[in-house]
Amino acid sequence: ELNLRQQKELDFYLKDFSKELRPDKKFDKRLDLFYYKDTLFTFNINPILGMSYFSNDSGSFYHRWNGAEAYAYVGKKLGFYASLRDNHESKRLSDPEYLNQFDASNYKVDTKGGGDFDEMRGGMTYTWDWGSIGLVKDHIVWGDNYHGSNIFSGHQPSFAFLKFHLKPVSWFDFNYIHGWLVSDIIDSSKTYVNGNSNRINFRPKYIAANLYTFTPLKRLQLSLGNSIVYSDQNVHPAYLIPFFFFKTIDHSLTSTGSNFLGQNSQFFFNISSRNIRNTHLYLSAFVDEIALGRATDSEKHSNFYSLKIGGRLSNLGIKNLFVTAEYTRTNPVVYRHYIETTTFASSSFNMGHYLGDNAQEVYLALAYKPIAKLHVELSYTMAQKGWEYLYTGVSRDPQGNGLGHPFIDRVYWQGSDISFKTKYQLVNDAWIFASVSSTDYNGLKNDVYTMPYFKGKKTTINVGANVGF
């Protein structure tokens, strides 16, 4: 039932996947820098190279990167992978305050406003027929989306975590992680002078999270899970048990009744349906600071949630045409916490939706794939953000307790983006791309939330190419 474009793309990608599907090696294999396979051991390595160049009436700037990626496995169960890239940006594209979706980075800043950073990702896994376990350093994305998840977006720099996956039956899937986050909060008791400089140590910070996914009907997936960010202690064994509702563990560990001794817990769910032909419908919700006791109290109701709803229609009258619509709303104080070491963040970058709290976004896109490996897209994005309210967590403080704040009663930052983008995959993992974007970023907080070269009304041209991901 595949159309001609899909058939050609399938043949193209089988040049890569047939390495595992066709152990006899009798297939049209993709080009690799080095590839080896025998009955026990497989090893593959490829380069990473890329350049992305931007130009508008504020000036021109670029992002270049280079490195290598490799994977290997021994037998059918033990696997390894690694990816290292060195990055340079002539002007820094990302910052914990910037409201964009460029790769989050920990820069070594230069005097010209640019910066360098390295990104090392990889891990090792052990897999069996109905599950796997691994230790990796990578990004994690949970929650259906086409323009940024509101559960785990993967926007922050990669961090190390244990991962555990189970799929014992066709209708049930389970995922768990325990991660080591970067708090960026200095531990003064462990910071000392070393020669002419200070040896700075940060407070420890961890996350435990799980996600249960059920498939009651074919093409319908219902997922629910919870997480907890905890700090100022060693790794606790209770949070290493994958199947727990972690907030209850926090209650038992902080039984004195003081809220300031507790940790930061979250709950989330996701619904994904492809039951209507050529249609993908989805909804995801992230609920912060679970407190069912005040859920019906109109004066104290916290509404600490982020909600995303969207859909995509495919082949609507025209083959290979895709129409996407998505709306995201995140209420005040979501992803934040009054204890700095337990915010839903790592390396100071929010792990949830890239706009943060008290914000909303509308995303519309029309995409077309006229031939195999060519993608053309016209998109419109409108985003707004209100005030980030003070959050002290003190229940008797009406300004800082986080309760009852209005949703965007005044817009402090607004951005609109109309973009035309195209990209073409020359060979496996090698792309060329180009885009033209008309943007308008403004508001009282524009200096804080917008990368300087994008402030105000701009028409930006972006061209580039990359090998590897």
Side-chain angles (χ1 to χ4, degrees), residues 30 108 110 143 148 156 193 196-197 268 294 296 303 305 319 321 324 327 329 401 406 415 447 469:
R30 60 162 285 175
K108 180 181 179 182
D110 61 32
Q156 76 294 323
V193 177
N196 294 324
S197 61
F268 33 84
R294 63 175 183 246
T296 58
N303 294 313
Y305 71 82
K319 289 183 178 180
L321 184 71
T324 305
Y327 173 72
R329 167 177 169 149
N401 61 17
D447 288 341
F469 295 99

Side-chain angles (χ1 to χ4, degrees), residues 428-443:
N428 295 83
D429 297 353
W431 296 83
I432 55 174
F433 55 87
S435 69
V436 178
S437 300
S438 175
T439 58
D440 184 3
Y441 296 105
N442 58 77

Side-chain angles (χ1 to χ4, degrees), residues 140 142 151-152 164 173-178 207-213 223-228 239 241-247 266-269:
I140 177 172
W142 287 359
I151 300 177
F152 284 106
F164 179 52
D173 188 279
F174 176 78
N175 282 280
Y176 163 83
I177 67 162
H178 183 282
I207 186 170
N210 58 34
L211 187 69
Y212 296 80
T213 300
S223 302
L224 57 92
N226 80 114
S227 61
I228 190 163
Y239 298 128
I241 300 175
F243 311 102
F244 278 170
F245 184 59
F246 298 115
K247 185 176 179 66
Q266 302 83 33
F267 174 80
F268 33 84
F269 66 85

Side-chain angles (χ1 to χ4, degrees), residues 158-197:
S158 61
F159 60 88
F161 56 91
L162 294 168
K163 58 182 294 187
F164 179 52
H165 174 236
L166 289 178
K167 192 173 178 59
V169 291
S170 62
W171 51 266
F172 175 68
D173 188 279
F174 176 78
N175 282 280
Y176 163 83
I177 67 162
H178 183 282
W180 283 254
L181 306 179
V182 179
S183 72
D184 279 344
I185 304 300
I186 295 175
D187 185 344
S188 59
S189 66
K190 295 181 180 179
T191 297
Y192 55 90
V193 177
N194 182 42
N196 294 324
S197 61

Side-chain angles (χ1 to χ4, degrees), residues 48-52 63-66 465-467:
I48 294 175
L49 295 168
M51 168 71 81
S52 182
H63 174 202
R64 61 163 174 78
W65 59 97
N66 58 273
N466 67 281
V467 177

Side-chain angles (χ1 to χ4, degrees), residues 303-357:
N303 294 313
F304 289 6
Y305 71 82
S306 175
L307 184 68
K308 177 182 287 287
I309 185 168
R312 168 169 285 187
L313 301 177
S314 306
N315 302 315
L316 188 64
I318 302 175
K319 289 183 178 180
N320 305 315
L321 184 71
F322 308 88
V323 180
T324 305
E326 187 172 287
Y327 173 72
T328 308
R329 167 177 169 149
T330 304
N331 276 12
V333 191
V334 179
Y335 306 125
R336 297 164 58 200
H337 201 258
Y338 48 84
I339 301 175
E340 290 183 289
T341 53
T342 62
T343 57
F344 196 73
S346 182
S347 300
S348 299
F349 286 88
N350 175 32
M351 294 189 292
H353 195 260
Y354 77 98
L355 290 176
D357 72 311

Side-chain angles (χ1 to χ4, degrees), residues 34-66:
F34 180 78
Y35 172 68
Y36 174 83
K37 183 179 179 65
D38 61 28
T39 56
L40 176 65
F41 181 65
T42 298
F43 179 75
N44 192 99
I45 186 168
N46 278 304
I48 294 175
L49 295 168
M51 168 71 81
S52 182
Y53 176 83
F54 301 83
S55 180
N56 60 30
D57 61 13
S58 292
S60 60
F61 49 100
Y62 64 88
H63 174 202
R64 61 163 174 78
W65 59 97
N66 58 273

Side-chain angles (χ1 to χ4, degrees), residues 80-132:
F80 312 88
Y81 76 101
S83 170
L84 172 63
R85 67 183 63 202
D86 177 71
N87 296 264
H88 173 74
E89 293 175 357
S90 62
K91 301 297 179 183
R92 291 187 295 118
L93 297 173
S94 73
D95 184 273
E97 296 287 353
Y98 292 170
L99 301 182
N100 62 43
Q101 297 197 69
F102 290 110
D103 293 337
S105 314
N106 291 318
Y107 290 99
K108 180 181 179 182
V109 181
D110 61 32
T111 57
K112 298 181 180 180
D116 297 279
F117 63 96
D118 296 320
E119 174 77 312
M120 184 80 217
R121 297 159 55 195
M124 53 185 179
T125 61
Y126 183 82
T127 304
W128 56 98
D129 290 343
W130 46 270
S132 66

